[in-house]
Amino acid sequence: MGSTIRARFAAAALPALLAGVAATGAGAATVRDAVGRTVVVPAEARHIVSLAPNITEMLFALGLGDRVAGVTQYCDWPPEAATKPRIGGVINPSLEAIVALGADLVFATADGNRPADVERLAALGVPVYTIDTRSIADVFSTMLTMGELTGRAEAARTLVAGLEWRRAAVAARLAGRVPVSVFVAIDRVPLISAGAGTFVGEMLTLAGGRNIAGASPIKYPVYSLEQLLAEDPEVIIDAADPGPVPPAELLRSWQALPGATGLRALPTGRLVSVGQGSFFRPGPRIVDSLERLAEILHPRKAGR
Amino acid sequence: MSASARRALLTLAALAALAAGAALVSFKTGPVSVSWGELVRVVVDPAAREALPAPSRILLDLRLPRVTLGLLVGAALAVSGTTFQALLRNPLADPYLLGLSGGAALGAVLVLVTGATDAMPLLLPLAAVAGALAAVVAVWRLAAGAGALPPTSLILAGVVVSSFCSALVMFLASVSPAGRVQGALYWLMGSLASPARGILAPVAVAVLAGVAALTSAGGRLNALSLGEETAAHLGVDVPRTRALLFFAASLVTGAAVAAAGLVGFVGLVVPHALRTLIGADHRLLVPASALAGAAVLVLADTAARSVLPPAEVPVGVVTALFGAPFFLVLLRRRRGWMGQ
């Protein structure tokens, strides 16, 4: 495969590259990452590479922006991320580019990056720490860990404490409310939803929703339109478009689905587009999305 | 009426009954259960539709188009498979062999990844058909460039064009956002769930016309499947007939692709299974394929809707899962099935 050849070239170029950025072994910490690999993390990584958009957001949120050396082509937030060198995609990052940037710490995610790429980077002598964010709690604990690994423990604690507080505020506001039946469309054609045990499913539950796809045997099922019509949820969250779309256009898209005109969420204005771009991205903005979802499902103002 | 004609009519009647039964079962089955009583009332009594809004919407807006589409697509694929197998005298020929699927995939993925379909859902089937037919014309041209259009050069040209299209599809997939690629891949797997609005009628016309035309060509297909020289001796205008049948079968497949994406296996296996059961007289085989293909695909789609409710499985997966073992049993029973 071409990537093997690339890796060989990279290996050949490695001594020359590492000579410039030889990390001192002093103060390096040996840790286990979220998937159980042992990683030797340098005390103060200066050239951090992110292999996923949510990692990039976390790094910037922890105030590590100036130490981020490279991001993926999908890293669109915060705006400053656009100024960083691109190292390729999530499933096809250029290992050569990562080595060439002098990466002394790489963050990967178990949900997206390929273990083979992680292994090869490690074989090239680049420490790779893999995170795993399957729940909001995971997102918070990952940011704390990231802070500790990069000397930003204090900033991480402050950030996470604020987010925890806001999450608790949402829970407090919804205490005692009857869950609202809700359906989330990850895509419209085919109609794909998110079942229990998914990040999206957890968000719906925390925001005071009863996810009608919760009983699905598959995590992201191609959902039966028939079942959707029979359940007829109060609220439909549409995350099929790249970004939020205007209500009129959204309504047209849904009316084009066979039988969907009979759904009560359409005429009552409770079909809402959130866009797929970053709404359910397991990163520091996840509480913003949670607050927005809670507002959609349980509006503060009675009546509309 | 001769004995053989009577047997042919009986065969077709039995298959028609099978297709009708499959359609009825499919209409009744789904994640939302509807009793026979409700079903009959919704169909015959407009007043009941007011009283039973949910079941009637599910039956009339969802299941009825889906069952109809299943019958049409199944018939289209089986008939074009039968035609291609006879034309190319190759038991492995299927509707997608000659670049059709590659071209359709390329057309579909092109409009899906550019996001053009968001504003115009009808663009997808149109692009798929355009791609499919462009690929078929390219295959025909390539093979005709080699002179006599023997089946081998058609198949070779088909393989080459398919590979080229697949390479382009892979390239587009590798440079597009993941979400769009997923949608495109799912569409390629084939599904009867939500055909583009307004496509059912044109597809029905195309498929029924194609099936009728190919049925009437049964005699010429018989002659062609004996070889070109023999067919010419029998008075068939070989180049012209072959071109006509080839494009008729391509159009029928194109219509099926437009409505349901690429549903695999039906077009390869149904013709074979029938040949082993009723013989290779295309005057009977073509209409029988239409009915059997319709029944098989509708039953497969019923299973696709009911194995993991409320999730749905791609129908092509079901056809292959159930079709492959069935086919192997047939093969074991009939040694020497390839000796044509």
Side-chain angles (χ1 to χ4, degrees):
Chain A
M1 293 298 296
S3 48
T4 325
I5 296 168
R6 265 212 304 278
R8 287 223 189 94
F9 272 116
L14 198 60
L17 286 165
L18 287 186
V21 293
T24 49
T30 304
V31 295
R32 284 182 88 75
D33 68 8
V35 294
R37 291 180 65 259
T38 305
V39 190
V40 181
V41 180
E44 282 280 289
R46 315 285 327 155
H47 303 278
I48 304 171
V49 170
S50 155
L51 294 187
N54 62 328
I55 295 172
T56 301
E57 290 196 31
M58 290 180 187
L59 292 169
F60 275 89
L62 294 170
L64 291 161
D66 54 340
R67 285 157 61 187
V68 171
V71 298
T72 73
Q73 65 196 62
Y74 303 111
C75 295
D76 53 4
W77 193 265
E80 302 87 77
T83 64
K84 297 291 179 181
R86 308 268 150 173
I87 50 84
V90 172
I91 56 167
N92 54 348
S94 163
L95 306 189
E96 208 173 309
I98 295 168
V99 173
L101 286 169
D104 51 5
L105 179 57
V106 173
F107 282 104
T109 172
D111 170 35
N113 298 124
R114 299 184 319 146
D117 287 334
V118 172
E119 291 300 335
R120 197 168 293 131
L121 274 173
L124 291 169
V126 181
V128 186
Y129 187 98
T130 303
I131 67 166
D132 196 3
T133 46
R134 289 167 196 276
S135 64
I136 293 195
D138 285 348
V139 173
F140 291 171
S141 63
T142 299
M143 290 198 284
L144 291 173
T145 309
M146 243 184 216
E148 278 162 27
L149 295 176
T150 54
R152 301 283 299 161
E154 191 52 44
R157 278 196 291 273
T158 311
L159 174 71
V160 172
L163 294 174
E164 285 273 19
W165 189 83
R166 284 167 57 200
R167 180 179 65 167
V170 170
R173 183 168 86 78
L174 300 179
R177 302 275 183 114
V178 178
V180 171
S181 61
V182 57
F183 177 81
V184 67
I186 304 291
D187 205 347
R188 278 189 306 266
V189 178
L191 189 67
I192 295 179
S193 191
T198 62
F199 196 87
V200 174
E202 186 202 22
M203 294 271 294
L204 295 178
T205 309
L206 289 176
R210 181 178 63 78
N211 180 11
I212 65 166
S216 160
I218 299 170
K219 278 195 167 184
Y220 291 98
V222 174
Y223 203 81
S224 158
L225 255 172
E226 208 176 287
Q227 190 73 29
L228 176 62
L229 291 187
E231 297 265 6
D232 201 11
E234 276 178 74
V235 178
I236 295 177
I237 306 283
D238 181 305
D241 298 289
V245 296
E249 190 185 319
L250 183 70
L251 199 58
R252 268 202 306 278
S253 305
W254 275 83
Q255 282 164 341
L257 297 179
T261 39
L263 289 164
R264 62 176 160 164
L266 271 57
T268 56
R270 302 204 73 185
L271 162 67
V272 183
S273 165
V274 294
Q276 65 189 173
S278 55
F279 192 82
F280 290 113
R281 185 180 288 172
R285 290 187 292 162
I286 201 64
V287 180
D288 302 6
S289 299
L290 181 63
E291 287 167 346
R292 170 92 202 283
L293 271 181
E295 188 58 37
I296 293 169
L297 293 169
H298 299 278
R300 269 169 234 268
K301 290 197 187 75
R304 22 186 72 239
Chain B
M1 199 181 212
S2 71
S4 68
R6 198 171 320 130
R7 214 181 51 227
L9 277 180
L10 272 176
T11 306
L12 289 180
L15 285 169
L18 180 71
L24 195 61
V25 167
S26 186
F27 193 46
K28 167 88 168 62
T29 317
V32 177
S33 49
V34 180
S35 72
W36 285 109
E38 280 177 332
L39 190 139
V40 172
R41 274 174 42 214
V42 162
V43 172
V44 300
D45 177 14
R49 283 170 219 167
E50 302 292 318
L52 301 164
S56 60
R57 260 213 320 274
I58 285 167
L59 285 169
L60 301 177
D61 294 353
L62 286 176
R63 283 189 201 167
L64 191 60
R66 195 165 174 161
V67 171
T68 313
L69 187 64
L71 292 169
L72 289 168
V73 170
L77 293 175
V79 164
S80 55
T82 304
T83 308
F84 281 127
Q85 284 170 16
L87 279 180
L88 301 168
R89 285 181 292 132
N90 183 324
L92 291 178
D94 83 337
Y96 301 138
L97 174 77
L98 298 169
L100 261 162
S101 56
L106 183 56
V109 171
L110 261 176
V111 292
L112 277 169
V113 300
T114 52
T117 50
D118 297 352
M120 244 194 85
L122 261 183
L123 209 58
L124 176 63
L126 293 175
V129 172
L133 296 178
V136 170
V137 170
V139 166
W140 188 262
R141 278 283 172 78
L142 275 172
L149 268 181
T152 337
S153 56
L154 268 177
I155 291 173
L156 267 177
V159 170
V160 168
V161 169
S162 291
S163 310
F164 184 75
C165 290
S166 311
L168 282 173
V169 166
M170 294 290 171
F171 169 73
L172 287 171
S174 69
V175 297
S176 309
R180 292 210 181 281
V181 174
Q182 221 164 21
L185 286 179
Y186 186 86
W187 184 84
L188 291 177
M189 282 183 204
S191 164
L192 303 172
S194 32
R197 186 164 290 234
I199 202 165
L200 206 54
V203 165
V205 171
V207 169
L208 295 175
V211 168
L214 292 167
T215 301
S216 69
R220 278 167 289 170
L221 276 174
N222 282 345
L224 281 171
S225 60
L226 296 170
E228 287 164 40
E229 283 188 28
T230 319
H233 286 308
L234 291 169
V236 175
D237 177 352
V238 173
R240 193 165 156 273
T241 309
R242 197 173 41 195
L244 279 175
L245 293 175
F246 180 87
F247 283 104
S250 298
L251 275 172
V252 171
T253 305
V257 168
L262 300 173
V263 178
F265 218 75
V266 178
L268 175 67
V269 169
V270 169
H272 269 305
L274 277 178
R275 244 197 307 273
T276 59
L277 294 168
I278 66 172
D281 182 347
H282 289 84
R283 288 169 304 178
L284 170 62
L285 191 59
V286 173
S289 298
L291 294 168
V296 165
L297 190 59
V298 164
L299 286 176
D301 186 54
T302 312
R305 279 186 287 146
S306 11
V307 281
L308 285 175
E312 293 187 355
V313 187
V315 69
V317 172
V318 179
T319 46
L321 273 181
F322 289 93
F326 170 76
F327 191 51
L328 286 175
V329 169
L330 270 181
L331 286 190
R332 290 183 64 106
R333 281 190 31 216
R334 298 262 179 160
R335 284 270 161 65
W337 56 283
M338 279 175 84
Q340 300 199 339

